[in-house]
Amino acid sequence: MLQPQAQQPAPAQQPAQGQPPHHPRAQQAPVPQQVHPQQAWAGAGGYVSPIPVRPTHLGHALASEWTKIRSLRSTIWTLGVMVVLTVGIGLLATLAAGSTREMDPLLGVGFVGVLLGSLCVITLGVLSISSEYGTGMIRTTLTACPSRVRVLTAKAVVFFALALVLTTVATTLVALLDTAMLRGPAPTADQWLRATLGAGLYVALLGLLALAVGALLRHSAGAISTMMGVVLLPMLLALFLQGESVKDLQRVLIEYSVPSALAQLYDIPFLTTGPSGWTPLLILAGVTAVVLGGAYAAVAQRDV
C-alpha cells in the first residue's frame, strides 16, 4: 500500500530586506494586585471572612468592660446601696444635729455615711474581677482579648471612673444639704474639695485597691474578707491595745487606719497627730499603685 508522504515543515519566513527582525513581545512587569483589606488577616488557606475584621485596641476593651459592669445586677445593688447610705445617713445626721446647734466643721456630718458607703464600693471592686474567675467567664474575656494587661487596665479604668463619679456626686449632695440646713462657719474652698472630691477619690481608690486584691486572690469571699480586714481591723486592734508598752503601736494603728484617714479629709481627726489634709489620700494612692502593680505581674505570668 502506498504510504502518504510526511509533510515537510514550512521553511521559516525570512524577513524582508530593510525590515528589522521580528522578536516576541517583551514581557511586561506584573501589575501589583490590590489586596483585600481583610486579606492580611486571612489564614494559610487564603480565606477572607465576610465579617469585618480589624485590630483591637484599648477602646474596645473599655467598651466591653463598660457593657459588663452596667449590665450586672451586683453593680446596681452595690452602688445603689452606697448612694442610699451616703446620702441617707448624711441627711439623718443633719436632721439629728438640727439647725439650732452650731457645727464646726460644718461638713463633718457626712463622714459616717461615706465610711459605710465605702464598704459597698469595696465589695463591687472585688466582684468586678473575681466573679469572672468564679464563673469561668474570664476564659471568654481572655479569648476575645488575649492581652491580659489590657483587660486589667480596662477593668480598672471603668470601675475607678464609675466609683469616682457616683461617690463624688453623693458627697457633694450631702455637703450641699449640710450647708443649707446646719449652722456653723462657712467651709473654705479646701474643705469643700476634701469633703467632696477628696472623699470621692479616697473611696474610689479603696475600690481600686479591692479590685487589685481580687485579681491577686481570684476568690470573691477571700478578697472581700481581706479588704474588710484592711478597713476595720487596725481600728479594732487599737481598741484592745491598752498597755503602756504598746501605746506607740496603738497610736500608729489609729493614725493610719482607713476610718481615721477618711475623717482627716473632713477635719475631724481621731488624734491630733498623724497625716492631715490631703496626705491620707496620697498614702492610699501609693499603696494602691503598689498592689495594682503586683496584680499586673500576677495576671501576666500565671494561667487562668
Side-chain angles (χ1 to χ4, degrees), residues 15-23:
Q17 188 174 5
Q19 294 183 355
H22 177 71
H23 295 284

Side-chain angles (χ1 to χ4, degrees), residues 86-278:
T86 302
V87 178
I89 294 181
L91 179 60
L92 290 176
T94 302
L95 294 175
S99 58
T100 58
R101 188 171 58 178
E102 185 172 344
M103 304 296 297
D104 187 17
L106 188 65
L107 303 180
V109 180
F111 159 72
V112 178
V114 174
L115 178 61
L116 295 179
S118 66
L119 302 180
C120 301
V121 178
I122 289 172
T123 303
L124 181 61
V126 171
L127 293 178
S128 62
I129 188 169
S130 63
S131 60
E132 292 198 35
Y133 283 100
T135 60
M137 185 66 183
I138 191 66
R139 297 184 180 89
T140 304
T141 300
L142 294 179
T143 300
C145 181
S147 176
R148 303 185 179 192
V149 172
R150 186 188 302 169
V151 170
L152 185 56
T153 301
K155 287 182 179 294
V157 170
V158 170
F159 171 79
F160 181 78
L162 180 62
L164 175 61
V165 170
L166 289 182
T167 308
T168 303
V169 169
T171 54
T172 302
L173 182 58
V174 173
L176 292 174
L177 290 174
D178 292 344
T179 306
M181 301 175 63
L182 295 177
R183 293 179 55 209
T188 63
D190 183 66
Q191 289 176 327
W192 261 101
L193 282 177
R194 283 190 281 112
T196 54
L197 181 60
L201 280 171
Y202 196 90
V203 174
L205 283 173
L206 274 177
L208 188 59
L209 177 61
L211 187 147
V213 172
L216 286 171
L217 300 183
R218 300 187 295 181
H219 191 274
S220 299
I224 292 175
S225 301
T226 300
M227 285 304 301
M228 293 302 171
V230 169
V231 174
L232 302 176
L233 189 58
M235 186 63 68
L236 293 176
L237 286 176
L239 295 178
F240 291 97
L241 298 176
Q242 299 296 333
E244 287 292 332
S245 60
V246 293
K247 180 176 290 187
D248 292 337
L249 177 60
Q250 181 191 44
R251 177 179 52 80
V252 171
L253 288 175
I254 295 177
E255 288 175 352
Y256 291 94
S257 65
V258 171
S260 177
L262 192 58
Q264 288 282 1
L265 294 175
Y266 285 90
D267 286 334
I268 47 174
F270 293 171
L271 297 175
T272 56
T273 58
S276 60
W278 294 91

